[in-house]
């Protein structure tokens, strides 16, 4: 599962751009070269250690700045976490 957030009208306004199922390959096609994005991936997997099955969920936060994003916009958004 994933969620992708981009910037709205204001410099600090985050908007939901996309959400769905799949991994990074499902998200890559939705990213524009002149935009900055933040997102999360949720991974669920089973771990079978010593005969004990455990279902684990991990969440990964990521950020992406397109190759055509201006230096000023890159600097302004790089401090957002």
């Amino acid at each position: 599962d994933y969620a992708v957030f981009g910037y709205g009208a204001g410099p600090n306004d985050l908007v939901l751009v996309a959400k769905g199922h799949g991994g990074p390959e499902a998200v890559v096609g939705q990213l524009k070269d002149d935009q900055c994005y933040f997102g999360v991936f949720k991974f669920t997997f089973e771990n079978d250690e010593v005969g004990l099955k455990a279902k684990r969920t991990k969440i990964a936060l990521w950020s992406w700045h397109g190759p055509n994003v201006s230096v000023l916009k890159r600097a302004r958004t790089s401090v957002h976490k």
Side-chain angles (χ1 to χ4, degrees):
D1 296 343
Y2 66 86
V4 180
F5 299 91
Y7 285 93
N12 295 321
D13 297 337
L14 286 178
V15 294
L16 181 64
V17 174
K19 66 179 181 175
H21 302 288
E25 55 281 339
V27 174
V28 170
Q30 301 177 35
L31 304 178
K32 296 180 183 173
D33 287 346
D34 61 345
Q35 297 293 319
C36 298
Y37 298 97
F38 295 91
V40 291
F41 288 112
K42 180 175 138 185
F43 300 98
T44 304
F45 57 93
E46 288 188 16
N47 189 5
D48 190 3
E49 293 181 14
V50 194
L52 300 173
K53 278 198 168 186
K55 197 173 199 180
R56 298 180 187 268
T57 300
K58 300 290 182 180
I59 296 177
L61 173 67
W62 57 268
S63 64
W64 187 81
H65 298 85
N68 297 333
V69 172
S70 71
V71 174
L72 182 60
K73 188 173 183 180
R74 234 178 245 270
R76 197 174 5 176
T77 59
S78 68
V79 296
H80 295 166
K81 299 193 189 305

